[in-house]
Every structure is written in structure tokens, then in C-alpha cells.
Amino acid sequence: MASAFSRSTFVTGRNSNGMIFSRRSYSETRLSMKLQTAIVGLPNVGKSTLFNALTETQGAEAANYPFCTIEPNVGIVSVPDSRLDELGRINNSAKVIPATLEFVDVAGLVKGASAGEGLGNQFLATIRQCDAITHVVRCFDDENVIHVDGSVDPVRDAELINLELVFADSAQVDKRLEKVKKDRKADPKEASALEKVKAFLDEGQPARNAELDEDEELLIKALGLLTRKAMIYAANVADADLADGNDMVKRLKEVADAEGAKLVIVSAQVGYIWKGF
């Protein structure tokens, strides 16, 4: 995420006519980069509604039918941090720029997305450009809200999306590994890193499970592997289940725990995030 401080100073001197002048100059200290997070999930699970709630806008169309979102919606949110004011005071800053999060609302993924189904290739390319993933999973029953598979099963739904991400990464790793093996000038550590990642992908597991050293991580960074990105599950529940969740949330939490991922309970419809596990 990006936080920055602008320091102002006065510079005085004499010009060519001997007249005294003064001007204010600014210098900016930028601490880090902006974090871009993709909001993903099946169609019609509340991604766009959550995006609107997080960004406090109505920029994303939220409708009761699949694929109401085609082009990704982007919103930037400032991250409040009381420490910034104190750091700004110590730094004698004229301006304090808070850290920001950029949320990208990606159209719903479906089975076969890794092979291009439902414009999957286009959507996956958008996710590759992001730093982290928020995986929205429907954890409520409502006969008035269409489910793309006809029934609500958070574990099945989560695993379907995760498997599509694995398939997409697997195809990319295989293609890159084949090229590296043919290139005599390629760094052998890249082949090693790809082999480590491939071993997990071939078992249907995320690339983030592979242990890589700093050099290996850097060598495969350009691939933008989807399953190596940090992921947080957002269990979208009805308003009545916001405080304590429900059985579907508990089942989804087991999936998150097995992956070492975090889970938060949200009610996208009322625009509220309750708690994380």
C-alpha cells in the first residue's frame, strides 16, 4: 500500500538583479506501493454489491442475473491510520497522503474459465495484474436470487473457482517451463522454481504452497501466478447471520483453514463486514 509525506521548505536567495527572493519547495517520501485486490467468485454471489459497499459507490451494476459485470470495475479506497498524523507531525509534512487499496470487481468466473469459457481468459488476465484476491462465496439461501448451478454449496463453489485458477496457472507454468528447458542461457534456478510450483499444481493445490527462496520468487514473479497470490475468503451471508455466521460459513472456514487463508463474514447487501477468523 502507498503512504506518502510531503515536506515543505523555504529557499531564499538573490536573483541576477540583486533582489532577495524566497520560494517554497516540496519533497515527497513514498513508503510503499498501492495494493491492488481482485474481487472474484462465481456469477451472482455478491461481488459487485460488495465492491459498491467497499468503495461507497454504485459504480458496479449489481443485478439478479449472471454476467451483469463484463468490464472490470475499479475503485480506490483510502486506508485510515491514526499513526499517519503523528508521523506527518514528526516529519513536518505539509501534506499527508494515506495508504490506498484499489479494488477490482472482476466478472463472475465459471467452470471452464481457464479454457476461455465465459470470457474466462480475459477475466483471468485482469486478476493476474492484481496483488491479492478476495474470493466472495455465497453463504445464504434465497430463492429469489439466482445461483448459476441451481443450488448453494459454498465448499463446491469455492473449490470450483480455486480449481480454475489452478488450471490456468498450470497451463502457464508448463508453457514457461518448456521454453526455459530449451533456452541454454536460462537461469537454472527458474526451472527449479517452476518444477517446485508444478508439483503442487499437478496435485490440484495452489502454487502458494511451494516453498521458494527469494531468487526463485523473483524469477517467476512475471508470470503473475493466480494461486500464489494472497487470498481472503469473504463469506457473503444474509443480514440475520452477520453476527455469528451459519453452517455454510463453518464449512467454508474449514476450506480456508486447510489453505492457511483468512475468512471474513460480510453482508454485501447491507454493506457491512463483521469479523474475520
Side-chain angles (χ1 to χ4, degrees):
M1 292 184 290
S3 296
F5 300 94
S6 296
R7 182 194 297 273
S8 64
T9 57
F10 279 99
V11 178
T12 60
R14 292 181 181 274
N15 60 22
S16 58
N17 296 322
M19 299 182 64
I20 297 176
F21 70 89
S22 64
R23 60 182 173 84
R24 185 190 295 270
S25 66
Y26 294 89
S27 62
E28 182 177 274
T29 302
R30 186 163 294 277
L31 302 183
S32 55
M33 297 181 66
K34 178 173 57 182
L35 180 67
Q36 193 174 51
T37 304
I39 301 177
V40 308
L42 287 173
N44 221 35
V45 295
K47 300 183 302 300
S48 295
T49 306
L50 179 61
F51 172 87
N52 288 336
L54 289 169
T55 59
E56 296 183 342
T57 69
Q58 293 299 316
E61 180 182 3
N64 187 22
Y65 57 86
F67 301 112
C68 67
T69 299
I70 298 297
E71 294 298 326
N73 300 295
V74 180
I76 299 176
V77 179
S78 295
V79 180
D81 189 339
S82 59
R83 296 171 297 180
L84 285 178
D85 292 333
E86 180 62 18
L87 290 173
R89 184 188 65 77
I90 294 172
N91 198 50
N92 192 28
S93 302
K95 184 178 182 181
V96 175
I97 304 173
T100 58
L101 278 173
E102 183 173 298
F103 289 101
V104 182
D105 173 32
V106 182
L109 300 175
V110 295
K111 187 175 182 179
S114 58
E117 291 294 329
L119 296 178
N121 290 332
Q122 175 184 327
F123 303 155
L124 292 173
T126 299
I127 303 171
R128 288 196 190 283
Q129 298 172 13
C130 296
D131 304 293
I133 296 174
T134 298
H135 186 169
V136 182
V137 183
R138 177 173 168 178
C139 292
F140 66 89
D141 284 312
D142 187 340
E143 61 182 13
N144 295 316
V145 179
I146 299 169
H147 190 288
V148 70
D149 285 330
S151 63
V152 180
D153 184 335
V155 173
R156 176 202 65 200
D157 295 350
E159 290 180 346
L160 189 154
I161 295 296
N162 290 340
L163 197 56
E164 289 300 323
L165 300 182
V166 166
F167 287 159
D169 280 351
S170 183
Q172 195 165 17
V173 167
D174 286 346
K175 183 177 180 180
R176 179 59 186 169
L177 185 57
E178 182 180 359
K179 185 175 181 179
V180 168
K181 286 181 176 180
K182 293 179 180 178
D183 186 357
R184 295 181 180 179
K185 296 182 180 180
D187 190 329
K189 293 200 71 173
E190 182 180 0
S192 172
L194 291 169
E195 291 284 9
K196 290 178 182 179
V197 168
K198 177 178 169 59
F200 284 95
L201 294 173
D202 287 349
E203 295 296 322
Q205 298 181 41
R208 71 179 70 91
N209 288 356
E211 293 187 11
L212 306 179
D213 62 32
E214 187 175 340
D215 291 337
E216 292 173 326
E217 192 77 61
L218 188 61
L219 285 168
I220 68 168
K221 183 178 180 181
L223 292 177
L225 295 179
L226 303 168
T227 62
R228 195 145 183 92
K229 300 180 186 297
M231 178 183 285
I232 183 169
Y233 286 95
N236 189 15
V237 302
D239 189 15
D241 295 324
L242 188 56
D244 300 311
N246 53 35
D247 289 340
M248 287 186 278
V249 173
K250 293 177 182 177
R251 292 174 58 207
L252 182 60
K253 185 178 182 299
E254 292 177 359
V255 174
D257 288 345
E259 297 178 6
K262 296 291 185 180
L263 181 146
V264 294
I265 299 176
V266 306
S267 182
Q269 194 63 46
V270 297
Y272 200 81
I273 300 175
W274 180 245
K275 60 184 177 183
F277 292 96

